[in-house]
């Protein structure tokens, strides 16, 4: 009988004997006979390799190793089944501690969002929401972004059936709020925004922003600075400084980009702040008179400040996350760190 026939026979015989064995003891005996010790069946078969030509030896060796793996796996599977059945038969023990289900947690982006909301809530800002499907008027025109103006490119947009689109920023919630409420207004608007950007380390086609708006008689840029300084210190630690750089947004005048002193290196310059000592975290400014006009408020009587920030970006700065796509990959090894 050649080796491959013997292997086939052994496979069959083993299966028969194993299924005939009704106790773990009997199964162990079958297992030992085939798999353990110098006199076991498998060792015997391996011994026969010596009589074969080198080419046959290689094939035979492979076939025998495969057989060995199969037999061991069959024993393991049966033993496991046995264990399960035994567990089943044990009477329940009510004195055992309960099994804790694995606890979930808030997503890191949600945590950052909640922290931002909490700081502004303490400063007296209400939380308001707007729809993710907006119309062009609220997303653009009422915010002083004319149809044909190049600044519209900065808020690249997913268009739906006219006049609908996926909002490209949370600023339209300013418009909705001013149409619904009378000053004094102090609100923040958290939520998802959408832009047709290709996903890379710092872009996703969907991300989160928090918008802020304060409107009243005599609201000043100094108050904006005070509020944002308090925000920066609450969020990133006492002693954090803020820096306002002149900038342009159609819906504010004057406008500023706001940086915070790097909380990683204490503004000395490191890789997190790219050596500058500062990190850009938001855009802000005084509400443009055209925006007031669009919502029927008198720009001669009211002034206001507004700001908007990207939450993923702040979350990445806080935790040193190198790639924004990690937030969407749902890998527990990433998410469980927060
Ligand atoms: N909407 C701007 C953006 O998506 C952010 C922003 C800048 C909001 C300045 C504001 C603001 O309210 O005053 O880039």
């Amino acid at each position: 009988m050649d080796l491959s026939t013997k292997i086939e026979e052994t496979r069959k015989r083993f299966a028969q004997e194993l299924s005939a064995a009704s106790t773990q003891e009997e199964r162990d005996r079958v297992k030992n006979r085939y798999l353990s010790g110098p006199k076991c069946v498998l060792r015997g078969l391996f011994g026969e390799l010596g009589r074969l030509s080198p080419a046959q030896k290689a094939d035979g060796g492979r076939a025998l190793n495969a057989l060995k793996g199969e037999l061991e796996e069959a024993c393991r599977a049966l033993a496991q089944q046995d264990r399960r059945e035994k567990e089943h038969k044990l009477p329940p023990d009510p004195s055992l501690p309960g099994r804790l289900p694995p606890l979930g947690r808030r997503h890191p982006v949600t945590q950052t969002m909640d922290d931002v909301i909490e700081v502004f809530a303490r400063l007296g800002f209400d939380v308001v929401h707007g729809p993710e499907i907006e119309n062009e008027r609220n997303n653009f025109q009422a915010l002083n972004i004319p149809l044909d103006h190049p600044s519209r490119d900065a808020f690249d947009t997913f268009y739906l059936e006219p006049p609908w689109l996926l909002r490209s920023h949370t600023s339209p919630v300013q418009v909705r709020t001013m149409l619904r409420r009378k000053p004094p207004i102090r609100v923040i608007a958290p939520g998802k925004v959408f832009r047709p950007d290709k996903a890379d380390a710092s872009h996703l086609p969907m991300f989160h922003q928090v918008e802020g708006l304060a409107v009243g008689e005599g609201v000043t840029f100094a108050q904006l600075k005070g509020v944002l300084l308090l925000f920066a210190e609450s969020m990133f630690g006492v002693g954090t400084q803020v820096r306002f750089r002149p900038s342009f947004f159609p819906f504010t005048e004057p406008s500023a980009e706001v940086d915070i002193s790097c909380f990683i290196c204490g503004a000395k310059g490191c890789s997190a702040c790219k050596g500058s000592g500062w990190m850009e975290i938001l855009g802000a400014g005084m509400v443009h008179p055209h925006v007031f006009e669009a919502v029927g408020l008198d720009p001669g009587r009211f002034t206001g400040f507004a700001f908007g920030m990207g939450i993923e970006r702040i979350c990445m700065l806080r935790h040193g996350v190198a790639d924004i796509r990690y937030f969407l990959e749902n890998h527990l090894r990433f998410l469980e760190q927060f």
Side-chain angles (χ1 to χ4, degrees), residues 155 169 171 174 195 209 211 249 251-252 283-285 306-308:
F155 305 94
H169 51 176
S171 303
Q174 291 186 29
R195 292 182 195 175
Q209 287 186 335
E211 189 80 13
F249 296 103
F251 30 90
T252 44
F307 54 86

Side-chain angles (χ1 to χ4, degrees), residues 1 43 46 48 50-51 66 92 119 136 157 174 187 205 220 269 285 310:
M1 214 190 309
R43 249 349 143 78
F46 271 107
E48 297 193 14
R51 292 192 277 104
V119 172
E136 289 191 287
T157 306
Q174 291 186 29
V187 293
T220 66

Side-chain angles (χ1 to χ4, degrees), residues 143 145 154-155 168-172 174 193 195 207 209-213 224 248-257 282-287 305-310:
L143 290 165
I145 312 176
F155 305 94
S168 54
H169 51 176
T170 43
S171 303
Q174 291 186 29
V193 300
R195 292 182 195 175
F207 58 101
Q209 287 186 335
V210 169
E211 189 80 13
L213 175 71
L224 169 63
F248 172 78
F249 296 103
F251 30 90
T252 44
E253 182 57 35
S255 304
E257 313 262 5
L282 54 86
M286 298 305 289
V287 177
F305 63 74
F307 54 86
M309 64 187 97

Side-chain angles (χ1 to χ4, degrees), residues 275-307:
S276 74
W278 298 93
M279 295 167 158
E280 186 192 321
I281 56 158
L282 54 86
M286 298 305 289
V287 177
H288 197 292
H290 289 174
V291 178
F292 281 140
E293 278 158 15
V295 295
L297 288 178
D298 176 4
R301 181 172 166 208
F302 297 109
T303 52
F305 63 74
F307 54 86

